[in-house]
């Protein structure tokens, strides 16, 4: 009887969350000095830029725009190193360290968006998150600000 009750409980849980999948929680990553941050968000319409990266260099920082066609080389633009400090503060504000290991998916959405998000810190720790039609809390806010950081280079 206990086995039957357990199976019914699992079946009920599966019915309550149709089309939603998410991996178990991974430990949060402390936000420290940012070495690089890469981010993307894509829908059904393909954009010219598929991924944006802001990374630390010996001269300060640079913005790398990866183009979708793969035939042209990535575009690289110099940036002020203060952009990485602003990114750190943004990540702290929205508690992005808790996004580490996020792998969200909502298969019930037929025409939606996917995203990828990766941060490497100078101490070697990383945050990695991705998903399809499922986002960690405040991803849209963080994405919008990061997009602004790279908008001058994209124009």
């Amino acid at each position: 009887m206990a086995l039957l009750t357990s199976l019914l409980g699992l079946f009920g849980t599966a019915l309550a969350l149709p089309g939603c999948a998410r991996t178990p929680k991974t430990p949060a990553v402390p936000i420290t000095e940012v070495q690089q941050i890469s981010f993307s968000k894509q829908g059904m319409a393909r954009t010219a830029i598929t991924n944006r990266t802001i990374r630390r260099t010996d001269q300060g920082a640079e913005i790398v725009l990866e183009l979708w066609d793969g035939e042209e080389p990535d575009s690289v633009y110099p940036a002020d190193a203060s952009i990485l400090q602003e990114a750190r503060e943004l990540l702290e504000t929205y508690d992005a360290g808790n996004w580490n290991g996020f792998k969200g998916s909502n298969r019930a959405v037929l025409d939606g968006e996917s995203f990828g998000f990766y941060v490497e810190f100078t101490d070697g720790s990383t945050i990695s998150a991705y998903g399809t039609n499922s986002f960690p809390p405040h991803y849209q806010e963080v994405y919008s600000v990061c997009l602004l950081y790279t908008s001058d280079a994209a124009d």
Side-chain angles (χ1 to χ4, degrees):
M1 184 66 172
L3 177 62
L4 180 59
T5 304
S6 295
L7 289 174
L8 288 173
L10 288 173
F11 181 69
T13 301
L15 287 177
L17 301 170
C20 294
R22 186 162 176 219
T23 56
K25 181 106 170 115
T26 340
V29 172
I31 305 298
T32 60
E33 194 172 354
V34 176
Q35 178 66 33
Q36 78 171 18
I37 181 169
S38 295
F39 58 99
S40 64
K41 186 169 76 169
Q42 298 165 340
M44 290 298 289
R46 189 176 289 269
T47 58
I49 301 168
T50 58
N51 192 60
R52 298 164 188 256
T53 301
I54 305 166
R55 63 184 173 208
R56 187 175 303 280
T57 65
D58 292 338
Q59 293 75 37
E62 65 185 11
I63 296 170
V64 180
L65 305 177
E66 296 176 28
L67 306 177
W68 76 268
D69 64 6
E71 294 177 17
E72 296 180 43
D74 296 343
S75 299
V76 180
Y77 303 90
D80 191 278
S82 64
I83 197 169
L84 294 165
Q85 179 58 33
E86 291 177 33
R88 176 185 180 167
E89 292 167 7
L90 178 69
L91 298 174
E92 289 172 334
T93 298
Y94 289 106
D95 206 16
N98 283 318
W99 298 357
N100 189 39
F102 182 94
K103 295 178 183 108
S105 175
N106 183 349
R107 292 173 292 232
V109 178
L110 299 178
D111 182 11
E113 294 179 314
S114 62
F115 82 96
F117 185 81
Y118 177 81
V119 181
E120 181 181 336
F121 298 98
T122 56
D123 66 2
S125 61
T126 60
I127 296 171
S128 180
Y130 61 90
T132 303
N133 304 315
S134 180
F135 300 87
H138 305 291
Y139 181 79
Q140 303 300 342
E141 293 92 330
V142 171
Y143 175 81
S144 295
V145 174
C146 287
L147 198 60
L148 287 174
Y149 293 157
T150 63
S151 62
D152 285 345
D155 290 338

